[in-house]
């Protein structure tokens, strides 16, 4: 239950704080509170014998309350200069001196993963499937 409350309260903030320039500290705070409380209250209704329809799952209730609180809270909050600067730079890729060297190393890992997958399949064929089919 708590993992759903966590997802419903943090999900809208995690996405909107990166892609929206209107999210404020107050909106984020109230979004977390309302999302968490919405899931907990929705789950509590089930404990009292009240069954909700499928489309009113406690996670949906918490998510909708979280989004609503984020929108309303952000309309009444103010964005500081530091927050504006952070939002302007959040989607920019940092430039590193050895970036090309690091990228070449990073590109090797998918190849290693594919090669190891093929090797596991071959080992499975040789030591598991073929001996079973020989009998």
């Amino acid at each position: 239950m708590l993992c759903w409350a966590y997802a419903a309260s943090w999900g809208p903030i995690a996405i909107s704080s990166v892609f929206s320039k209107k999210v404020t500290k107050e909106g984020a705070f109230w979004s977390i509170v309302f999302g968490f409380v919405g899931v907990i209250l929705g789950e509590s209704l089930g404990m009292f014998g009240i069954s909700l329809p499928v489309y009113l799952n406690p996670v949906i209730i918490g998510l909708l309350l979280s989004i609503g609180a984020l929108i309303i809270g952000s309309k009444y909050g103010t964005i500081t200069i530091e927050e504006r600067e952070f939002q302007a730079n959040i989607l920019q890729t940092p430039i590193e001196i050895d970036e090309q060297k690091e990228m070449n190393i990073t590109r090797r890992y998918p190849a290693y993963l594919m090669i190891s997958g093929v090797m596991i399949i071959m080992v499975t064929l040789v030591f598991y499937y073929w001996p079973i089919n020989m009998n």
Side-chain angles (χ1 to χ4, degrees):
M1 174 170 63
L2 289 177
C3 64
W4 293 118
Y6 180 78
S9 61
W10 278 94
I13 295 168
I15 294 170
S16 63
S17 64
V18 173
F19 296 108
S20 175
K21 295 185 180 186
K22 297 179 181 180
V23 175
T24 63
K25 175 174 52 174
E26 294 84 6
F29 173 77
W30 289 111
S31 177
I32 293 170
V33 170
F34 274 79
F36 185 81
V37 169
V39 172
I40 299 299
L41 288 178
E43 290 286 343
S44 299
L45 289 175
M47 292 179 189
F48 293 116
I50 301 170
S51 63
L52 297 172
V54 175
Y55 55 85
L56 284 180
N57 188 305
V59 176
I60 304 290
I61 295 170
L63 189 65
L64 292 174
L65 287 174
S66 179
I67 291 170
L70 181 64
I71 292 169
I72 293 170
S74 293
K75 284 190 178 190
Y76 293 107
T78 58
I79 300 175
T80 64
I81 295 170
E82 290 127 6
E83 290 171 341
R84 286 254 187 245
E85 290 173 0
F86 180 76
Q87 288 172 347
N89 295 326
I90 196 166
L91 294 177
Q92 293 181 359
T93 305
I95 298 172
E96 297 179 12
I97 297 171
D98 297 327
E99 187 171 338
Q100 186 61 36
K101 182 180 174 185
E102 293 293 324
M103 287 302 294
N104 289 337
I105 293 171
T106 304
R107 285 189 186 117
R108 292 181 196 161
Y109 291 113
Y112 294 153
L113 184 63
M114 288 186 283
I115 291 168
S116 66
V118 169
M119 289 174 55
I120 289 172
I121 292 170
M122 291 173 59
V123 167
T124 304
L125 280 172
V126 170
F127 293 108
Y128 183 73
Y129 293 120
W130 283 345
I132 288 177
N133 290 331
M134 289 181 172
N135 293 332

